[in-house]
Amino acid sequence: MAVLVVSILPAQADPEAIVVADVVGKLNDYAKDTFEAGYPDRAEEVWREVVAEYDINDATARKALGYKRVGAAWAMDPEFRYPEWGEATLAKAKALRKRWEKIAVDMAQAHLRCAEALTVAGKTERATYHFDRVLRFQPGEAKAAAARGAASFDGLFGTEVEIAMVKRASTLRRAIAQVNALQIKVTPVTELHDAVKRAGLTVSAFAGPNVTCYGDVEPAVIEESVRVAERSLALCKMVFEGCASYKGDGLTLALCFVKDDASWLKMLEANLDMIGGSSAEFVREHKPAMTLMPHDSRPGANGRLGFMIATSPPTAYDMAARWVAQSFANFKADALNEGIGHAIVGILLGENLAYSIGEDKESGTVASRTRKLKLETPDMLIWAELAIDTAWENTSMPAAQLAFLKAASFPTEGRIKAWSFCHFLLLRDPELMRRLDEAPGDKVRNPTELRDKFTATAGIHIDVLDQEWRSFWTKDTPLLRAVRGGEVAALESVSEDAFAWLDAINETRKAIMLQVKGINLPTVHWSESYSEDCKLHLDYLEKFKGERGLGKEDTQDLAKDGATPRGRQFAQSAIVVCNAPRPDKMMDTWMLWPGYRHVILDPRLELVGAFANKTTLVMDVVRGAMPVEKSTSAEYPFGNSVGVPTEIDVADLGPEVRKFLDAHGAKGAKKVGFPITLHSYGRGDASMNPTPGYHVCELLLLGKEPVPGVVHLPQGRGSRRASARTLAVFYPLQPLKRGSSYSYTWTVDGKKGDKPSQFTTK
């Protein structure tokens, strides 16, 4: 064994070669057995580490990951798709965890002996690398910690830089909690920005302490956009406090949201003299979000004005936060501008809905096509998944190239790198973003020249920083898991109770396919990696029993120990069931709740994260929905259904639905009629059009008597029981009649369904 040989090597032997051979052998054997045991995600992590850290040409790992030899190089098989699930059991997971603990000690000792030998030989740089590898496998190992200046912080071991990141992450968490708790006074205003006046638009206008928003979309959306923008400004001030170069000099504090292309063009044509260096032809064609720059560029009601088409309320809120963040940072480089916008919006809202115009030229493999489609899904946990993929790849875009990347040709990989690099630097040192933005001066023409200038001004080589970025997203230590927002150790997310829920879901989907012709609902499988966030949220609910119940269990209180921004974002889209009876007894109830019904009927859903104990379930149903090119839809109840329930308890739907129904004809009602739903499943998981009257449902008793009701478009906000981004719900204002025949027809954008769907109540 290498751990015994290194210390007695003859002088001419290469200690690194022996250690690499030994460690690679151990990792490959472990990955193979882990894969065969039903844990492909864990096996993939190990094989990726072999290729990235030890041997880029290791045939075992390369072939397992889908590569094949092409001459002297490796190329990805265009049709390869790595398996995403296996037949997992808790017993196998426990055995694999114990085995990893043993080989981790062996590998750490091998690296330690190698580092000591290299130190004696005067090869300091290579010795440093091996000391770092010791700390990867044994974070608290005393000799390596002393050599690398690693220390303990709150029981976690890490380098000085990593500990500083933990502290900054804690500061960020407190800042998010504070801005979410802000009570922001918003008032209507009558005085309009000059650019809005020139366009002749009929708008609503609201102002907060710092930001004013205008628009011809719903007034409530404009009002809420002010609050979001104010929170973004407050967050930026907290995040960049102490960073001397972030002064907010370029703030855009006036925003305008328009409802359609016609309004957008009115704004553009009336203010062409204020679009700066942008090409009028380009912006007419692509209609990007624009910042108008008046000749008198003082901030305020007649200063800079950002405007865009707001296709949905969440899109307006996204851009309200984004404009403030980007103008606060005031970066010149497109990639950093986009990256900081995505980072602040993701931290504040948990999603990203707005992108700059760009052309993606990636194509060829199943993985690259899937990556491009997944990027269009706004959930930040999916973006984090893509960031990890990018960080593992030795061919990923160098950080030195980011300063030269243009928005007009923004590839998928570039957007992932820009966001994930900016997110990393928010925790590492925000001033390094400024140094990178300033590095391409007049005499700097390419990434090679940038490397020298960045090193001179930042005190660290950009390629070293790039390596730190990769370690941030891939290094598996307790401290870095904490910095990333809370993760569990590998194979700790297995719970036998979760599989009973999957069985119940799959049985329900099978029954639906037998009942309804033409519907295809694939078998849902379990993912160990997606289950990690489920376990963390269940742990939170177990620790804080008072946080159960609608409006609480679907979020996290950042003031509580163990709550994280990542956990808060995750909970908002998760299925959470507390005090549950047997899973098979719950499926009828799931079909009663519109948001859970949306999950059951999702034809894209093939993979879920799930962690459960005897009474509680937490399930991730977002990341495992396979991206598709073509949209599909479904209605419920299905045509000719019998025994449909007549009513639903409003209290079971969450506070958002209670508030909506109170404002739309069912104030204080304890029950409403059975929800009629229209489900859309498509590319990018875009929100439904919220324009009043865009979605109309006509429900008739006995085919002729109209049933009063209201259409709710929850937009993915609120309890998952009643909420999904692409879900339209018609709530009859009164319970339906028992034993009666009903028919309903959806009309979308003026297009009425082909024929009514009929059903009979219990």
Side-chain angles (χ1 to χ4, degrees), residues 124-143:
T124 306
E125 184 177 343
R126 292 308 303 165
T128 295
Y129 171 79
H130 286 278
F131 279 127
D132 284 341
R133 296 308 293 166
V134 174
L135 296 175
R136 180 268 179 266
F137 294 116
Q138 292 288 293
E141 204 287 324
K143 292 181 180 178

Side-chain angles (χ1 to χ4, degrees), residues 245-317:
S245 69
Y246 291 86
K247 303 174 183 178
D249 291 342
L251 273 171
T252 299
L253 297 175
L255 311 175
C256 182
F257 304 97
V258 297
K259 63 185 178 182
D260 53 29
D261 288 3
S263 295
W264 192 94
L265 287 169
K266 277 186 180 181
M267 281 290 294
L268 177 69
E269 299 296 343
N271 298 285
L272 283 174
D273 62 324
M274 294 197 296
I275 65 173
S278 301
S279 160
E281 290 72 21
F282 177 85
V283 297
R284 283 192 187 99
E285 178 185 356
H286 295 287
K287 300 181 182 64
M290 291 289 296
T291 300
L292 299 177
M293 303 291 292
H295 304 297
D296 179 2
S297 60
R298 290 172 299 177
N302 289 309
R304 298 180 182 91
L305 174 75
F307 79 99
M308 70 161 292
I309 301 171
T311 56
S312 67
T315 304
Y317 308 147

Side-chain angles (χ1 to χ4, degrees), residues 540-569:
Y540 170 84
L541 295 174
E542 288 291 293
K543 186 174 184 179
F544 302 105
K545 301 286 188 180
E547 292 303 297
R548 300 177 179 225
L550 297 181
K552 293 189 292 184
E553 66 193 27
D554 39 41
T555 186
Q556 289 187 5
D557 181 352
L558 294 179
K560 296 187 180 299
D561 182 42
T564 65
R566 177 186 175 113
R568 174 174 165 269
Q569 292 167 7

Side-chain angles (χ1 to χ4, degrees), residues 612-673:
N613 57 26
K614 296 300 182 184
T615 62
T616 306
L617 164 74
V618 180
M619 184 175 285
D620 178 351
V621 293
V622 174
R623 284 178 283 180
M626 297 297 105
V628 294
E629 294 282 357
K630 187 177 180 181
S631 297
T632 60
S633 62
E635 298 176 353
Y636 196 87
F638 301 124
N640 301 316
S641 293
V642 296
V644 173
T646 60
E647 61 190 24
I648 187 170
D649 291 332
V650 176
D652 287 343
L653 298 173
E656 291 80 10
V657 176
R658 171 78 278 168
K659 182 178 178 181
F660 173 81
L661 291 173
D662 283 349
H664 291 84
K667 185 174 179 61
K670 293 184 178 181
K671 297 179 182 292
V672 290

Side-chain angles (χ1 to χ4, degrees), residues 335 390 393-405 413-414 417-418 421 436 447-448 450-451 461-467 469:
T390 302
E393 295 166 0
N394 290 297
T395 58
S396 61
M397 177 179 293
Q401 192 173 327
L402 288 176
F404 300 93
L405 197 63
E413 182 188 330
K417 183 62 176 279
F421 197 69
L436 181 57
T448 300
L450 177 141
R451 285 176 167 87
H461 198 286
I462 188 65
D463 293 343
V464 173
L465 202 60
D466 204 38
Q467 177 61 35
W469 161 81

